[in-house]
Amino acid sequence: MDLKTFEEQLPEIQKKELAVVIFKGTTGADGVNWCGDCVEADPHINKVLVPLCKEKDVPIYYVEVGDRPTWKDPNHPLRKHPV
């Protein structure tokens, strides 16, 4: 989900007893995520975290932070978000 959708859904997400929110770089038109750390973490998230969350019935929310220049901006809303 994009940032706007995340902010709209945040009140409902916060009502849950437990939830996982994963922030990741936005995938480009070429299908490649600009964030190397995200690319490296993805297989581990899919192998370990996703099955565990399914087993425990814990929702996972993926939030795209934008392209690299957008994310690197020190005033990016998620860098200052109160949650």
Side-chain angles (χ1 to χ4, degrees):
M1 76 178 66
D2 62 16
L3 177 58
K4 181 180 179 202
T5 304
F6 172 67
E7 289 179 333
E8 290 169 356
Q9 291 186 10
L10 187 57
E12 289 302 312
I13 294 170
Q14 289 177 311
K15 290 178 184 177
K16 299 187 180 300
E17 184 177 337
L18 185 62
V20 173
V21 179
I22 297 174
F23 297 96
K24 58 186 235 163
T26 299
T27 301
D30 58 0
V32 177
N33 190 321
W34 62 264
C35 176
D37 292 337
C38 300
V39 172
E40 187 175 330
D42 238 12
H44 305 287
I45 290 169
N46 291 326
K47 183 178 179 182
V48 178
L49 186 62
V50 170
L52 181 61
C53 286
K54 283 183 182 177
E55 176 186 319
K56 303 290 184 183
D57 199 27
V58 174
I60 301 176
Y61 300 91
Y62 294 89
V63 180
E64 293 189 341
V65 300
D67 61 13
R68 184 181 193 95
T70 301
W71 174 243
K72 292 296 184 179
D73 179 349
N75 293 313
H76 188 288
L78 288 174
R79 293 187 176 273
K80 297 183 175 218
H81 204 282
V83 173

